[in-house]
Amino acid sequence: MTRTFMTAVFALAATTAFADDHAAPMVKASDQSVENGVVSAEKIVADKNGWLVVHRTDADMAPGPVVGHAPIRKGETTDVAAILTEDVAAGDMLMLMVHAEDGGNATGIFEYTLGAKEDGPIRVDGDLVMKVITAQ
C-alpha cells in the first residue's frame, strides 16, 4: 500500500473515533408499554457518568416528579432500563432525561429532588437533554 493511502486510512479511523467520543448528549426512546414496571431508552449519549431520570410531564412539557431512574455511563449506552418507583398508567406522558452525577454527598447514589442542584439535569445550549414518550 502506498504511504498516502495508509495516511488516509489512519485519518479516517481517527476522525471516526473522535466523533464517537464527542457525540452530542441525547436520549432516543419511543412510546412503550409500562406493564412490567420499567421504562427503557434505546440509546443514550452522555458526556459524563450520570443518570437516566424518568419524570412525569404533560402537554406543558415541564419536568414533574421523578418516577424512576437508572445509572448511565459516559459515552453511548444502549437499552437502558429504569425501574418505575410509582404507578404509571397507559396514556401518561413521561420525560426521559439525562442527569449528571454531580454534587451531593455520595457518588453512585441518586440524590436529585425537583429543583435541587445535586445530580441535576444536563443542558446543551440551555436545552434539557431529554425525550418525551407516552406510556402504552
Side-chain angles (χ1 to χ4, degrees), residues 100-123:
E101 171 55 46
D102 287 334
N105 297 313
T107 300
I109 304 296
F110 183 65
E111 300 178 83
Y112 179 80
T113 56
L114 255 170
K117 293 192 186 322
E118 298 83 12
D119 297 343
I122 292 175
R123 293 180 182 269

Side-chain angles (χ1 to χ4, degrees), residues 71-128:
I72 56 173
R73 295 184 192 128
K74 175 183 178 180
E76 182 180 316
T77 308
T78 58
D79 194 24
V80 178
I83 296 173
L84 295 169
T85 56
E86 294 184 14
D87 289 335
V88 173
D92 288 354
M93 293 175 69
L94 301 172
M95 183 178 285
L96 283 60
M97 185 182 303
V98 177
H99 283 234
E101 171 55 46
D102 287 334
N105 297 313
T107 300
I109 304 296
F110 183 65
E111 300 178 83
Y112 179 80
T113 56
L114 255 170
K117 293 192 186 322
E118 298 83 12
D119 297 343
I122 292 175
R123 293 180 182 269
V124 174
D125 297 328
D127 296 326
L128 294 168

